[in-house]
Amino acid sequence: VRIKNRNAFEVEVVLQQQVTNPAGEVQSLRSTPQRLQPGEEREVVLPAYRFAQPQGSYTFDVSAWVGDQQVSRLPLPRKVQLK
């Protein structure tokens, strides 16, 4: 995921990934905090997700957080169908 600090000050960003498995259970995975200077842009690799069930539909929803405030979110959750 590519992130950019559009502020005039340094920020610390955490990416949060919500994964919904075929049974409807939600698991939350967080990236390590990323400290960005004003205007800095960086690509962040999200934590790997282990697929517990070999088949079914999984949904991945990613948002960016600064402190306790959500500052961005991918426009549409990504769906993965395992067969």
Side-chain angles (χ1 to χ4, degrees):
V1 175
R2 184 164 286 290
I3 59 175
K4 182 175 183 175
N5 180 6
R6 299 182 193 278
N7 297 301
F9 50 87
E10 178 182 89
V11 295
E12 186 173 273
V13 179
V14 174
L15 296 179
Q16 182 169 317
Q17 179 175 229
Q18 299 277 350
V19 182
T20 306
N21 69 20
E25 299 164 334
V26 178
Q27 182 179 3
S28 181
L29 304 168
R30 297 176 74 111
S31 70
T32 56
Q34 304 293 315
R35 191 171 296 274
L36 297 171
Q37 298 300 318
E40 184 179 358
E41 188 171 345
R42 169 180 320 166
E43 190 166 310
V44 178
V45 176
L46 294 168
Y49 177 76
R50 295 181 148 239
F51 293 94
Q53 300 169 350
Q55 293 183 347
S57 180
Y58 289 80
T59 303
F60 295 82
D61 191 8
V62 179
S63 56
W65 294 77
V66 173
D68 62 353
Q69 182 178 5
Q70 182 179 329
V71 295
S72 187
R73 183 176 176 197
L74 288 179
L76 293 173
R78 305 284 190 237
K79 290 194 176 202
V80 175
Q81 181 70 38
L82 299 181
K83 297 180 180 184

